[in-house]
Amino acid sequence: TCPHGWNALDGEEGGNNDVRGTCWYRRHIVLPASFAGKQLVIRFQGAFQTAAVYVNGKKLGEHEGGFAAFCYDATAALHPGDNTVAVTVSNVQDTNIPPWDADFTFFGGIYRPAEIIAVAPTHISLTDYASPGVYITTPVVTPEAARVHIRTLVESPADAPAGVQLACDILDASGKIATSSNEPVTLTPGKRQEIATDISLPTPHLWNGRPDPYLYTV
């Protein structure tokens, strides 16, 4: 069960004797039949400090660094029914991976949540450094208007249709649609593509710190 760490006691007692070693996690996961034909991604929000992930005996990859999320495409390794996910995690000191020293315990383990995500074959990418695949900037913000620049990474298999609709909604703080965009996009099947969208938001309600922490959602 995640989150988990193996230094719950020795890491806090102040004896400078916390365990620095390697641990194996194993779990049987039964996937429903409805996952057939989906793209399957296994995502870890964090494991300290190095980790290697195996699904049904197949090694998906290794990750170095204890504070960043990481994920792997597990479509070819997973199947409906019983699956075995195994992860080896090590918090042995590694001088190639910062930080080398700090005023906190280097807890070992899968200390943040982990999940398997099933998406349609054509989908917003989840494997760009485990990001959401949507990147948002606001190059112009004035009381009169704001321009929201949205970059969306879309992946599709080689046999997917080229034509899709890309819809972007900007919601106000109450959850109502303030403005939106819906445009046809032609993809190159079998590749990851970046699609840029610019949306204008007239008379935006501007964020103003603690007095008025107003936020929109894309």
Side-chain angles (χ1 to χ4, degrees):
T1 301
C2 299
H4 174 268
W6 60 74
N7 303 108
L9 299 177
D10 61 333
E12 297 295 334
E13 66 180 5
N16 196 31
N17 63 339
D18 49 295
V19 174
R20 303 287 291 271
T22 300
C23 177
W24 277 92
Y25 294 84
R26 288 183 181 86
R27 180 169 176 173
H28 286 271
I29 298 175
V30 177
L31 296 186
S34 60
F35 277 26
K38 301 282 189 180
Q39 195 83 5
L40 303 176
V41 172
I42 186 166
R43 185 178 191 274
F44 297 83
Q45 294 187 25
F48 200 90
Q49 178 174 26
T50 62
V53 180
Y54 301 81
V55 174
N56 294 324
K58 180 180 180 179
K59 185 176 183 179
L60 299 187
E62 297 182 9
H63 178 78
E64 295 183 343
F67 303 108
F70 57 99
C71 67
Y72 301 104
D73 186 335
T75 308
L78 289 167
H79 52 74
D82 184 65
N83 298 267
T84 301
V85 176
V87 184
T88 178
V89 182
S90 172
N91 67 339
V92 174
Q93 187 172 17
D94 188 333
T95 56
N96 294 315
I97 307 173
W100 299 280
D101 191 20
D103 60 351
F104 56 84
T105 300
F106 288 0
F107 293 92
I110 305 176
Y111 71 98
R112 290 176 180 164
E115 58 193 340
I116 292 175
I117 306 170
V119 293
T122 298
H123 58 277
I124 296 175
S125 176
L126 299 170
T127 54
D128 186 41
Y129 298 99
S131 75
V134 179
Y135 306 94
I136 304 162
T137 55
T138 49
V140 177
V141 177
T142 69
E144 292 73 33
R147 180 162 61 89
V148 181
H149 183 68
I150 305 167
R151 295 165 46 233
T152 307
L153 297 183
V154 179
E155 292 188 11
S156 60
D159 57 352
V164 298
Q165 294 287 124
L166 179 65
C168 300
D169 293 331
I170 297 181
L171 311 180
D172 64 18
S174 69
K176 295 180 180 180
I177 296 177
T179 186
S180 62
S181 169
N182 194 326
E183 58 181 326
V185 175
T186 300
L187 301 176
T188 301
K191 292 186 178 181
R192 176 194 288 171
Q193 291 177 247
E194 180 180 306
I195 303 169
T197 305
D198 285 285
I199 302 180
S200 178
L201 180 64
T203 59
H205 186 149
L206 300 183
W207 180 84
N208 187 28
R210 294 177 63 184
D212 187 11
Y214 192 94
L215 291 176
Y216 291 89
T217 301
V218 176

